[in-house]
Amino acid sequence: MMKSILGALVLWSVAAAPAFAGAVEDMLETDRAFAAMAQEEGVPAAFAAYAAEDVRMLPNGAQPYMGRELMIADFADWPENASMTWTPVEGMASKKGDFGFTWGRYVYTGVNAEGEEIVAHGKYVSIWRKEKNGDWKFVVDVGNSNPAPEETP
Amino acid sequence: MMKSILGALVLWSVAAAPAFAGAVEDMLETDRAFAAMAQEEGVPAAFAAYAAEDVRMLPNGAQPYMGRELMIADFADWPENASMTWTPVEGMASKKGDFGFTWGRYVYTGVNAEGEEIVAHGKYVSIWRKEKNGDWKFVVDVGNSNPAPEETP
């Protein structure tokens, strides 16, 4: 089972050749720019820049909520010594190329109450909508945990 | 903060009036039928019926994988005494109404190694694609945990 899963992961880039490559490429590029901004200007600033006004936030371990304003308030608690990096794997788009998703893997690094470093691995889905001005904004942010990919037998 | 989140949840049905109500209604109805089938015929059978061939499965705590066949193999481990119920909250669709998502809340009930009942609450996102035959199939399944909604202060 695990072997066939790894096989599927390896084949992904081939098997998942997108029908609407333009929009998918645009969303992947947007997601990469979003991740780069998180590295350069911090996670809260990057989320504020790429979230749609009506974003649905579905944080792991907490209640869902809606709206960019609430999201910005929520990120006020973001620890200064925490970082999150992510890399999109692939995505899919609607026929007209106005809507779709990317998913990828993240690594969260933070410090616990005892001052010890914590590293958490996981995956995420961002659902993107092309706004009237042509910008892609994410309307859903959801993710969950998994073991470090290299630990998978 | 928590109060404003609850306010946002209460306002959801008003604020999130969908621009493309037809497709959103269709996806919500499909998600409800999917949930009903899980109750009547079991969770594995329902997932097999509603998953797209190229579904991306992003299970909480485990590695992501792709494909309905692998998903069916994965669900072979589903415990007989476990149940999962879910209720969609709302969703959003592409302009042409061929692609979109629903999200909602789930309750998982199972039995641990000591024979004690476990109840786990969470939320999920299903991303739906309208297939050539007009059926909606989910292309992404992802979810994560949260406290029971009634426990939120």
Side-chain angles (χ1 to χ4, degrees), chain A residues 98-141:
Chain A
D98 62 313
F99 202 85
F101 71 88
T102 55
W103 78 268
R105 293 183 179 268
Y106 70 80
V107 182
Y108 172 90
T109 311
V111 174
N112 69 10
E114 285 76 41
E116 298 158 343
E117 192 178 75
I118 327 160
V119 179
H121 295 263
K123 54 203 168 297
Y124 68 91
V125 177
S126 296
I127 304 181
W128 299 91
R129 183 179 64 200
K130 198 172 190 170
E131 305 292 32
K132 278 178 190 160
N133 66 359
D135 287 349
W136 286 95
K137 299 281 180 179
F138 69 87
V139 292
V140 172
D141 177 76

Side-chain angles (χ1 to χ4, degrees), chain B residues 55-126:
Chain B
V55 65
R56 280 76 165 145
M57 296 294 294
L58 281 74
N60 198 0
Q63 298 297 341
Y65 62 90
M66 177 172 155
R68 183 173 167 273
E69 291 305 312
L70 278 177
M71 185 201 75
I72 290 170
D74 199 34
F75 270 113
D77 300 337
W78 183 262
E80 267 193 46
N81 49 16
S83 86
M84 193 160 62
T85 59
W86 66 90
T87 312
V89 172
E90 46 103 50
M92 210 185 272
S94 69
K95 282 192 183 165
K96 249 193 142 169
D98 61 315
F99 202 85
F101 72 86
T102 55
W103 77 269
R105 294 184 179 267
Y106 71 78
V107 182
Y108 172 89
T109 311
V111 174
N112 69 11
E114 286 75 42
E116 298 158 343
E117 191 176 76
I118 328 159
V119 179
H121 295 263
K123 53 203 168 299
Y124 67 92
V125 177
S126 295

Side-chain angles (χ1 to χ4, degrees), chain A residues 1-2 4-5 8-9 12 15-16 20 54-66 70-71 73-74 90-96 98-101 103-105 123-127 129-130 132 139-140 142-152, chain B residues 1-2 4-5 8-9 12 15-16 20 54-66 70-71 73-74 90-96 98-101 103-105 123-127 129-130 132 139-140 142-152:
Chain A
M1 173 71 190
M2 205 39 89
S4 52
I5 288 179
L9 287 169
W12 223 307
F20 315 105
D54 56 345
V55 65
R56 280 74 166 148
M57 296 294 294
L58 280 74
N60 198 359
Q63 297 297 342
Y65 62 89
M66 177 172 156
L70 278 178
M71 186 201 73
D74 198 35
E90 46 103 47
M92 209 185 272
S94 69
K95 282 193 182 164
K96 249 192 143 170
D98 62 313
F99 202 85
F101 71 88
W103 78 268
R105 293 183 179 268
K123 54 203 168 297
Y124 68 91
V125 177
S126 296
I127 304 181
R129 183 179 64 200
K130 198 172 190 170
K132 278 178 190 160
V139 292
V140 172
V142 60
N144 62 34
S145 68
N146 50 246
E150 62 271 23
E151 285 169 16
T152 302
Chain B
M1 173 73 192
M2 203 40 86
S4 51
I5 288 180
L9 286 170
W12 224 307
F20 316 104
D54 56 345
V55 65
R56 280 76 165 145
M57 296 294 294
L58 281 74
N60 198 0
Q63 298 297 341
Y65 62 90
M66 177 172 155
L70 278 177
M71 185 201 75
D74 199 34
E90 46 103 50
M92 210 185 272
S94 69
K95 282 192 183 165
K96 249 193 142 169
D98 61 315
F99 202 85
F101 72 86
W103 77 269
R105 294 184 179 267
K123 53 203 168 299
Y124 67 92
V125 177
S126 295
I127 305 182
R129 182 179 65 200
K130 198 173 189 169
K132 277 177 190 159
V139 292
V140 172
V142 61
N144 63 33
S145 68
N146 51 246
E150 61 271 24
E151 283 168 17
T152 303

Side-chain angles (χ1 to χ4, degrees), chain A residues 81-95:
Chain A
N81 49 15
S83 88
M84 193 160 61
T85 60
W86 66 91
T87 312
V89 173
E90 46 103 47
M92 209 185 272
S94 69
K95 282 193 182 164

